[in-house]
Amino acid sequence: MSTPAVPDIDTLEPGQLLPVREFHADTVHLFQYNAVLWNSHRIHFDYPYAREAEGYPALVMAGPQLGDWMHQCVTDWLGGKGRLCSMEYSNRRAAFVGDTLRSTGTVQAVDRSSGEVTIAVAIVNQNGEVLAPGTAVAVLAP
């Protein structure tokens, strides 16, 4: 299906895609994000620990950062035409420094009377694996 540049409640249909956003996970993003969260878990900054003690192939990206990237995918698409009302997601697989990640969204349902749009969102890695699936609900202005 097509990717609408600006959402319009009158023409929006289930199956339409939101623009994909691509992220290149690196140590700078990881450090900055975890510093803001006061997250000092060693899997996010101590590579030998992450590899040897926890068995990870690289430093682990913070799970909430994946949710923030999905949030940005929806709010960028909405622009000034609506607001994000709710989002839920689940981290199913880890993302690592060095990964190329994409945030995706697909319109699942449109309620024209209320302006409510339900969107399936996800973070997908370079291998096509869904790391974090979720659902967002937005309301578009008439």
Side-chain angles (χ1 to χ4, degrees), residues 56-108:
Y56 291 117
L59 294 175
V60 180
M61 298 303 290
Q65 191 166 19
L66 305 183
D68 286 344
W69 286 339
M70 286 184 274
H71 183 278
Q72 291 169 11
C73 179
V74 175
T75 56
D76 284 357
W77 173 70
L78 288 169
K81 294 279 295 180
R83 63 183 171 83
L84 179 61
C85 297
S86 67
M87 178 174 287
E88 60 181 48
Y89 69 97
S90 175
N91 291 314
R92 304 283 174 86
R93 302 178 73 127
F96 302 101
V97 166
D99 283 350
T100 299
L101 305 173
R102 292 178 287 116
S103 60
T104 65
T106 305
V107 174
Q108 297 294 298

Side-chain angles (χ1 to χ4, degrees), residues 106-121:
T106 305
V107 174
Q108 297 294 298
V110 179
D111 182 336
R112 295 193 204 299
S113 62
S114 67
E116 188 172 281
V117 180
T118 304
I119 305 159
V121 292

